[in-house]
Amino acid sequence: MATKLAESRPDGELQRKSVDAVVIRFAGDSGDGMQLTGTQFTQSTALMGNDLATFPDFPAEIRAPVGTTYGVSAFQINFASYDIMTPGDAPDVLVAMNPAALKVHLRDVPKGGTIVLNTDAFTDRNIAKAGFGANPLEDGTLDNYVTIEIDIQKMTLAAVADIGVTNKEAVRCKNMWALGLMCWMYDRDRQPTVDWINQRFGERAPAIAKANVAALNAGHAYGETAELPSGIPAYIVPKADVQPGVYRAVTGTEAIAWGLVTGARKAGLELFFGSYPITPASALLHTLSNLKQYGVTTFQAEDEIAAVCSAIGASFAGSIGVTSSSGPGVALKTEGITLAFAAELPLVVVNSQRGGPSTGLPTKTEQSDLYQAVYGRNADSPLPVVASCTAGDCFFAAIEAVRIAVTYMTPVILLTDGYLANAAEPWEIPDVDGIPEFKVDFATASDDFHPFLRDGKTLARNWPVPGTPGLMHRIGGIEKSYDTGHISYDPENHHRMTKVRAAKVDGIADDIPLQEVASGPSKGRLAVVGWGSTFGAINQAVERSLAGGLDVAHIHIRHIWPLPRNLGDLLAGYEKILVPEMNNGQLITVLRDRFLVPAEGLNQISGLPFKVSDLEAAIRERMEGQP
Amino acid sequence: MNVQTPVEQLKPADYASDQEVRWCPGCGDYAIVKSVQRTMADLKLAPEDLVFISGIGCAARFPYYMATYGFHTIHGRAPAIATGTKLANPELDIWVVMGDGDCLSIGGNHTLHAIRRNVDIQMLLFNNEIYGLTKGQYSPTSRLGTRSPSTPQGSVDAPVNATVFALGAGARFVARSVDTNQKHLPEILKRAHAHRGASFVEIIQNCIVYNDGAFSGWTDKAAAADSQIQVEHGKKLIFGKDGDRGLRLDRNSLSLEVVTVGDNGVAEDDILVHDETNRVLANLLGAMEHPEYPVAIGVLYCDPAETYDSAVHRQIAESVEKTPPTDLNAMLRRGRTWTVAPS
């Protein structure tokens, strides 16, 4: 459609310049609808067949005072005609809806980059509020950039003038105008956005729907007809050459929700999800609340403790109980988690990590809860820990967490983070029928029944469910006898039970895949070892380094605890080990402790994902002297 | 297979587990467990459908002594655990057992919310006004001035009234009874069990070691008639050895006053009739304290409403009806998808 519109230009001479990859960042006030603009652009881009990755970056304040730098919300999308894994290091195009957005994001735009400016917003007051000494449009600040200065607000108001919306409603359409312009510039189809607008507002507020569509179309038409400054061509980003299949855009949050539902189904259980709202984990509660027809019960508890306890109570009753939070909330759940560990009930605890400690940086991403997941409990309470590494991988990681929980009758920590939770990527939809089942067999009555009868292989206790005649039993947090399941204060029994609980969790290492090398050789000069959401950035950096002839490999660990059986031997095959983490060095402690390897950390604790270029530079640095 | 005794033939003792009871000799909990077991037998409840869930404290050992399903959890959280258990299987008959510290101190929040949500469970508060298991510290229901290891000069914080708290939380069923009153307590437990929704029962319980006699001023046999009032729906609020004392509403102060029929022109018609659906009256009755007033025992309030668990499952059923569950492959394909054809 866009191509046709382009051809309809009066001069008929539009030549689209073909580029392989583009990074666009939309930035504006948190009330300007930048996340929505970015999401819609993502949908269109996904449907165009590009590979993509996104990075929503928003403030903790819902609506900070208008025009301030701390109220700036941004959404970055990287899309390409080839396989990409990160939202991009630096934007090629910055859309700045006000001076504050320009102030915050200008430093990331490389010289020569394009900046689209909503000039209406550059009033003296806003310029001062953003912290500029003078008008950046006039004082040479932008000399090294290509700027497109448009009165977006004025244009929007004109476009919707006849529709009969209030001035305030009209102004709010300006994000759609900017989106329309970007759709024209990068040859995106507007129809998915039109459909979305109509679905969202159509029945409820037809005038608002009409205004938004009008603004979108006006922005697009502006691109077609306006005399843009020279050097601003329209672009085309050819389709990526991707594996044939059915695709959709997915965020980590959606993938975890679907993975939990799928895991429960594979186990033959109902899913119970108890949660308390916390950024950035709340979206999982919202998503699952809309999946009730798939055997899901959601419960918004009164607090984090009740959330985990309700999930434990549900597992006791024979559902798979799941709870979800971020680091501070998981801290509150800790006593409940150890109850589930002691009572040996299945439970999945999803931690969407964010910047900490304490309230920290609630809307920013971090990987700083690995210690909490692996070590952060009283007593000898080892737990399996699984970490997802991409938005799409969250689906499989969630299934794996459910599988381990029900197979081994144990709580499992599933680590994700704020970046994965919000970031979107195209995802080849898997065939659920091809995913192996792990159906649960509840205990049945027998003469030797007691609640701590164990499976000889997994060491998991049997799972007798209330309501079953003949299996009445009592469990709880007090130590239980290995032989009868009754309360026991016997010293040798406590020693034995502690050992068997640990052996059970250790034994999971025999039931998870051996560690593979994601890229590069299986022995050599340098291994870059990561976990979680750094996968994309590390992989791209290692791939580029390999292409440049460097002897480097990428190892990405999914099973943080227990670790894969071969990991120690694998790591021993490299001269150097570099461990990039978005924390002050946590996985590295585990690796050094378990394998006594001379690992070196590369730590970024900015609340932002790694840049590929920074990782490449770090790799190069450790390769100095390589022949 | 275990041989199952038909439910109709179960006796109170059949609801007792084989575990040795470890409460102090003379503890009021013995009387309560006996009442509960008798209630189960009287109601002919199937042991496999019964679940006792407790937190931490002396009272919380309760589930171990019942030959039913049981979960001895963590301090204060039993109502939250029970909420999850009930939502996962609404068919289960769930009894939550809590002490006063468990229910109203560390677990106060969960008590509040289980009540306000109206989860269909029985919530039994064993109130002995002291921390027993941790050796005698004062509790949130201890009276002002209670001397304890942590308050050697006497406690200075006002206690919470459990029934008034429950009513304030929006309870639809609030009752009170006494551990040793083996006639009254099982009847109250039956009412609690019959009520659909969160049934909150305060059971006054004597801690023989750390707070012995805390209630004897109104629970002792000799004192009971003049210091307790057994409330029953539709019946006059009358008490006393001679049955001539009663409660009258002072319309000026909107408070209850204790009157004697025949004195100062008080007629029988002046005595209030108990209406267990009247929340205001329930508050007034629950707040009465000895010795100024007789202590009210019985069902103070009962006015059922839709339970949380049934509302949750109603919504689930509505979701299924609105969008029939398709297979999971269809779930993953909801919304926008696109197909990349083989090139």
Side-chain angles (χ1 to χ4, degrees):
Chain A
M1 183 203 266
T3 312
K4 205 174 123 212
L5 282 168
E7 281 167 5
S8 72
R9 266 169 74 103
D11 56 15
E13 286 196 6
L14 177 72
Q15 291 291 311
R16 285 195 175 268
K17 184 178 169 187
S18 183
V19 289
D20 288 339
V22 180
V23 178
I24 301 179
R25 185 181 293 178
F26 296 94
D29 221 56
S30 42
D32 280 345
M34 292 296 99
Q35 300 304 321
L36 207 148
T37 308
T39 307
Q40 289 307 314
F41 194 84
T42 301
Q43 282 288 350
S44 294
T45 296
L47 293 173
M48 295 294 287
N50 294 125
D51 198 15
L52 66 87
T54 71
F55 179 53
D57 183 22
F58 42 84
E61 293 77 13
I62 301 299
R63 294 276 163 90
V66 175
T68 57
T69 52
Y70 48 90
V72 172
S73 172
F75 187 102
Q76 182 160 311
I77 175 169
N78 183 7
F79 57 105
S81 61
Y82 55 81
D83 191 18
I84 52 166
M85 295 176 180
T86 75
D89 288 356
D92 300 306
V93 180
L94 171 67
V95 179
M97 297 301 281
N98 68 3
L102 181 66
K103 180 77 181 176
V104 172
H105 292 287
L106 181 60
R107 60 170 170 255
D108 294 335
V109 184
K111 301 269 184 283
T114 300
I115 303 175
V116 179
L117 296 147
N118 171 27
T119 48
D120 297 292
F122 282 72
T123 60
D124 290 347
R125 189 148 175 269
N126 283 348
I127 288 166
K129 224 193 264 182
F132 286 110
N135 188 344
L137 307 185
E138 293 163 1
D139 71 352
T141 301
L142 303 176
D143 281 355
N144 292 318
Y145 305 91
V146 178
T147 59
I148 304 176
E149 298 176 21
I150 310 171
D151 286 348
I152 293 179
Q153 186 161 317
K154 204 177 294 164
M155 303 283 234
T156 304
L157 291 176
V160 307
D162 300 333
I163 293 173
V165 290
T166 66
N167 187 61
K168 195 175 163 196
E169 287 164 346
V171 168
R172 290 181 90 178
C173 295
K174 64 179 184 288
N175 62 331
M176 287 295 121
W177 197 98
L179 178 61
L181 179 63
M182 286 297 110
C183 284
W184 173 80
M185 198 182 269
Y186 291 98
D187 197 22
R188 311 282 101 176
D189 190 354
R190 280 163 293 154
Q191 195 57 42
T193 301
V194 172
D195 292 345
W196 178 85
I197 291 169
N198 285 329
Q199 196 191 339
R200 169 120 185 225
F201 299 110
E203 280 180 26
R204 189 160 59 82
I208 288 180
K210 214 171 156 194
N212 275 287
V213 172
L216 179 75
N217 289 337
H220 193 274
Y222 180 87
E224 284 182 313
T225 56
E227 305 254 330
L228 289 179
S230 58
I232 313 283
Y235 295 91
I236 188 160
V237 182
K239 285 184 179 187
D241 184 18
V242 292
Q243 178 94 5
V246 181
Y247 283 77
R248 68 176 305 143
V250 72
T251 63
T253 297
E254 291 166 328
I256 284 190
W258 297 331
L260 291 171
V261 172
T262 305
R265 188 72 65 89
K266 294 291 174 187
L269 302 175
E270 298 274 302
L271 175 68
F272 178 92
F273 186 80
S275 189
Y276 182 76
I278 182 172
T279 303
S282 310
L284 189 52
L285 173 61
H286 308 165
T287 306
L288 283 166
S289 297
N290 283 302
L291 296 175
K292 288 185 185 137
Q293 66 270 34
Y294 296 99
V296 177
T297 302
T298 56
F299 172 58
Q300 181 178 316
E302 58 269 28
D303 61 26
E304 297 283 1
I305 297 170
V308 68
C309 285
S310 64
I312 293 167
S315 287
F316 175 55
S319 293
I320 173 64
V322 180
T323 189
S324 157
S325 190
S326 191
V330 173
L332 283 165
K333 295 179 198 290
T334 306
E335 191 192 11
I337 294 170
T338 57
L339 170 68
F341 177 74
E344 300 188 47
L345 283 169
L347 173 73
V348 175
V349 181
V350 185
N351 181 347
S352 300
Q353 300 165 92
R354 67 187 209 186
S358 190
T359 306
L361 304 171
T363 59
K364 308 298 176 192
T365 195
E366 207 162 275
Q367 296 184 298
S368 48
D369 296 343
L370 184 140
Y371 280 169
Q372 182 189 45
V374 176
Y375 303 121
R377 285 167 295 284
N378 61 304
D380 287 302
S381 321
L383 290 188
V385 180
V386 177
S388 57
C389 66
T390 65
D393 179 59
C394 284
F395 177 76
F396 299 102
I399 296 172
E400 178 69 346
V402 175
R403 183 187 72 86
I404 293 173
V406 299
T407 308
Y408 293 88
M409 295 293 282
T410 180
V412 176
I413 310 272
L414 173 57
L415 291 175
T416 175
D417 61 32
Y419 168 65
L420 288 180
N422 294 311
E425 65 172 24
W427 185 51
E428 188 188 355
I429 304 171
D431 178 10
V432 173
D433 299 336
I435 297 168
E437 292 194 331
F438 37 88
K439 285 267 185 287
V440 168
D441 291 320
F442 292 129
T444 50
S446 66
D447 286 338
D448 62 349
F449 166 77
H450 73 79
F452 282 83
L453 273 180
R454 290 179 191 280
D455 180 275
K457 186 160 159 266
T458 62
L459 299 178
R461 77 171 180 96
N462 63 168
W463 190 358
V465 170
T468 317
L471 295 186
M472 286 77 76
H473 68 277
R474 279 63 58 192
I475 57 170
I478 296 185
E479 187 63 282
K480 297 296 186 292
S481 160
Y482 183 94
D483 297 312
T484 66
H486 292 310
I487 288 180
S488 170
Y489 294 108
D490 179 65
E492 285 76 28
N493 179 72
H494 178 55
H495 183 86
R496 186 181 188 190
M497 286 294 271
T498 300
K499 288 290 187 187
V500 78
R501 286 188 290 259
K504 179 178 81 168
V505 172
D506 277 347
I508 295 169
D510 296 323
D511 190 23
I512 58 174
L514 293 177
Q515 183 64 50
E516 290 181 356
V517 178
S519 286
S522 58
K523 61 175 70 168
R525 186 87 184 272
L526 174 68
V528 184
V529 181
W531 67 282
S533 72
T534 53
F535 180 87
I538 296 175
N539 201 255
Q540 208 141 8
V542 168
E543 289 279 344
R544 285 189 198 168
S545 302
L546 284 166
L550 298 181
D551 181 10
V552 57
H554 174 203
I555 293 171
H556 214 74
I557 303 175
R558 172 198 210 64
H559 288 275
I560 307 291
W561 200 270
L563 290 160
R565 288 272 188 243
N566 65 329
L567 183 60
D569 289 344
L570 185 62
L571 295 180
Y574 298 91
E575 287 170 36
K576 290 182 179 175
I577 294 167
L578 182 66
V579 185
E581 294 183 82
M582 297 187 293
N583 61 37
N584 204 25
Q586 300 198 3
L587 175 67
I588 194 170
T589 310
V590 179
L591 296 179
R592 283 176 180 157
D593 172 54
R594 301 303 287 179
F595 308 121
L596 302 174
V597 287
E600 181 195 352
L602 178 67
N603 305 98
Q604 175 180 307
I605 318 134
S606 57
L608 298 169
F610 277 107
K611 287 183 175 173
V612 176
S613 54
D614 290 347
L615 291 170
E616 270 188 276
I619 291 168
R620 261 199 315 278
E621 207 175 292
R622 276 139 195 97
M623 285 296 179
E624 269 162 26
Q626 179 183 337
Chain B
M1 291 287 280
N2 291 352
V3 180
Q4 294 279 304
T5 311
V7 167
E8 306 76 54
Q9 294 167 25
L10 290 179
K11 296 176 187 63
D14 294 320
Y15 291 89
S17 75
D18 59 358
Q19 294 296 291
E20 191 190 338
V21 183
R22 299 191 192 196
W23 288 312
C24 306
C27 174
D29 289 350
Y30 284 93
I32 302 174
V33 80
K34 217 173 111 192
S35 270
V36 170
Q37 288 162 354
R38 217 183 93 198
T39 304
M40 311 272 117
D42 286 355
L43 295 175
K44 305 190 190 313
L45 303 178
E48 65 264 24
D49 294 333
L50 290 165
V51 183
F52 282 81
I53 297 177
S54 64
I56 293 293
C58 295
R61 297 298 181 94
F62 199 96
Y64 291 120
Y65 309 135
M66 298 296 296
T68 63
Y69 284 92
F71 197 179
H72 177 215
T73 71
I74 46 178
H75 205 10
R77 320 302 174 197
I81 302 249
T83 300
T85 305
K86 186 69 184 181
L87 286 176
N89 184 356
E91 303 301 316
L92 295 173
D93 185 356
I94 299 177
W95 299 68
V96 173
V97 176
M98 304 170 282
D100 35 306
D102 205 38
C103 173
L104 292 167
S105 195
I106 192 168
N109 194 33
H110 309 303
T111 301
L112 162 71
H113 292 282
I115 289 174
R116 121 183 124 71
R117 289 192 183 101
N118 200 28
V119 184
D120 184 19
I121 54 179
Q122 287 73 247
M123 305 175 73
L124 311 185
L125 161 62
F126 297 8
N127 184 6
N128 59 15
E129 298 188 357
I130 207 77
Y131 281 65
L133 200 60
T134 51
K135 301 197 181 353
Q137 299 84 356
Y138 82 121
S139 93
T141 54
S142 294
R143 275 158 257 181
L144 211 56
T146 297
R147 289 179 190 275
S148 80
S150 57
T151 50
Q153 297 157 280
S155 60
V156 292
D157 40 342
V160 60
N161 177 310
T163 55
V164 173
F165 171 83
L167 287 162
R172 317 294 309 198
F173 182 97
V174 177
R176 185 189 282 142
S177 190
V178 178
D179 53 2
T180 50
N181 195 336
Q182 293 290 309
K183 260 199 185 128
H184 190 254
L185 181 54
E187 294 312 309
I188 295 303
L189 294 174
K190 284 173 199 170
R191 282 291 311 274
H193 183 261
H195 175 78
R196 295 276 76 88
S199 316
F200 184 84
V201 183
E202 179 187 24
I203 304 170
I204 299 302
Q205 179 244 328
N206 187 48
C207 172
I208 195 161
V209 174
Y210 294 108
N211 209 13
D212 193 23
F215 310 101
S216 54
W218 62 272
T219 57
D220 278 359
K221 275 207 173 100
D226 278 327
S227 54
Q228 287 180 24
I229 179 163
Q230 285 201 26
V231 303
E232 269 186 81
H233 184 63
K235 293 196 176 162
K236 285 202 183 294
L237 290 164
I238 283 175
F239 68 107
K241 267 197 300 286
D242 306 320
D244 61 348
R245 301 176 72 194
L247 298 174
R248 183 173 73 173
L249 183 70
D250 180 331
R251 290 172 199 278
N252 292 320
S253 64
L254 290 181
S255 62
L256 296 176
E257 55 179 338
V258 177
V259 293
T260 304
V261 177
D263 280 7
N264 302 319
V266 174
E268 209 161 299
D269 280 353
D270 294 333
I271 306 298
L272 278 173
V273 172
H274 183 45
D275 174 2
E276 66 184 20
T277 66
N278 184 332
R279 182 175 287 274
V280 175
L281 180 59
N283 268 291
L284 294 172
L285 292 171
M288 294 194 306
E289 283 179 13
H290 180 75
E292 191 189 352
Y293 286 101
V295 177
I297 65 169
V299 177
L300 306 183
Y301 185 67
C302 178
D303 188 16
E306 184 177 31
T307 69
Y308 181 69
D309 36 297
S310 74
V312 166
H313 284 276
R314 176 170 50 72
Q315 287 195 337
I316 291 172
E318 284 165 7
S319 297
V320 171
E321 202 170 310
K322 199 170 144 211
T323 333
T326 45
D327 67 71
L328 297 186
N329 276 323
M331 172 184 80
L332 298 184
R333 284 161 180 77
R334 292 203 314 188
R336 290 180 193 148
T337 63
W338 66 95
T339 302
V340 176
S343 49

